[in-house]
Amino acid sequence: METTEPGWRPEYRGDDASVGNVGSGREFGADLYYLYRAGRNELPRIARTYADVTVLVHQTAGATEGQFDLPGRGIGPAQQRLLELRAEVQDVLRLTSLRMSEVGAALVTIADRYAATDEAAAEEFARLLANNASDYQHRALAPPDPPAPGEPPLVNRIPRNIVD
C-alpha cells in the first residue's frame, strides 16, 4: 500500500542508526503527522492551484498573439516582449506547481521513513491519522501536469490530473 492511499498507517521497522538522532516519542510522531498532512493534502492542493492558473495563462497565448499580429504590420518589439513575458509567467507558474508536488512527495517519504525508526512516534502518527481519518478517506491528489509555454493550445481538453 502506498503512503498516500486511504487507510495507510506508518509502520515501525526497527532501529535505523543511519538517520541519526532526529527526535523520538509521541511529540515526534505528532511532528511527523503534520509533515505528512502537509505533504499529502496541503501541498498538492497548492500545486493544483498553480497548475490551474498555468492553464488559464496558457489559454491566453493564441488570443494574445492574434491581437498583436496585425495584418501588414506583424508583431512589433514591444508586443514581442509582452508575448515573452506571458510565456515567462506561465513557466514560473508551471515550475512552482511541479516543485510543490515534489516537495509534498518528499514530506510524505520523510514522515514514513522517520516513523519507521521510532515505535512510539509511529504509534502517535497512526493515532493522529485515525483521529483525522476523514482527511484521508480519498486518494491523494495526483501531481498536476501543467502545460509548458509553446505547447499546443488546450482545445477541448483538460490537462491530466487537473480534475478530481
Side-chain angles (χ1 to χ4, degrees):
M1 178 180 285
E2 285 190 40
T3 55
T4 59
E5 288 189 24
W8 174 84
R9 296 294 178 266
E11 177 186 329
Y12 174 65
R13 296 183 286 275
D15 291 329
D16 183 353
S18 70
V19 296
N21 184 10
V22 295
S24 63
R26 290 186 64 205
E27 287 182 18
F28 187 59
D31 292 341
L32 295 177
Y33 168 77
Y34 291 114
L35 283 176
Y36 178 81
R37 182 179 74 183
R40 184 193 184 276
N41 293 354
E42 295 166 15
L43 286 170
R45 281 190 208 119
I46 293 168
R48 179 180 173 162
T49 299
Y50 275 95
D52 290 345
V53 174
T54 302
V55 169
L56 294 174
V57 171
H58 182 69
Q59 290 172 337
T60 67
T64 307
E65 256 184 60
Q67 289 296 316
F68 290 164
D69 192 8
L70 300 173
R73 289 189 13 205
I75 298 176
Q79 290 88 353
Q80 183 60 42
R81 182 61 190 130
L82 286 172
L83 292 173
E84 292 167 1
L85 182 60
R86 189 215 57 78
E88 289 174 24
V89 167
Q90 179 182 342
D91 202 42
V92 167
L93 293 168
R94 177 182 160 274
L95 291 174
T96 301
S97 173
L98 296 172
R99 296 306 171 257
M100 289 291 152
S101 293
E102 291 170 0
V103 170
L107 290 179
V108 167
T109 299
I110 289 166
D112 176 48
R113 289 185 180 168
Y114 280 124
T117 67
D118 185 318
E119 190 170 16
E123 288 174 6
E124 180 64 8
F125 188 179
R127 185 188 72 76
L128 289 167
L129 283 170
N131 287 352
N132 297 284
S134 63
D135 293 341
Y136 307 99
Q137 63 188 354
H138 302 291
R139 293 182 63 86
L141 283 175
D145 190 12
E151 285 187 9
L154 303 173
V155 179
N156 296 325
R157 83 170 181 92
I158 297 174
R160 180 178 60 82
N161 298 328
I162 298 297
V163 296
D164 289 332

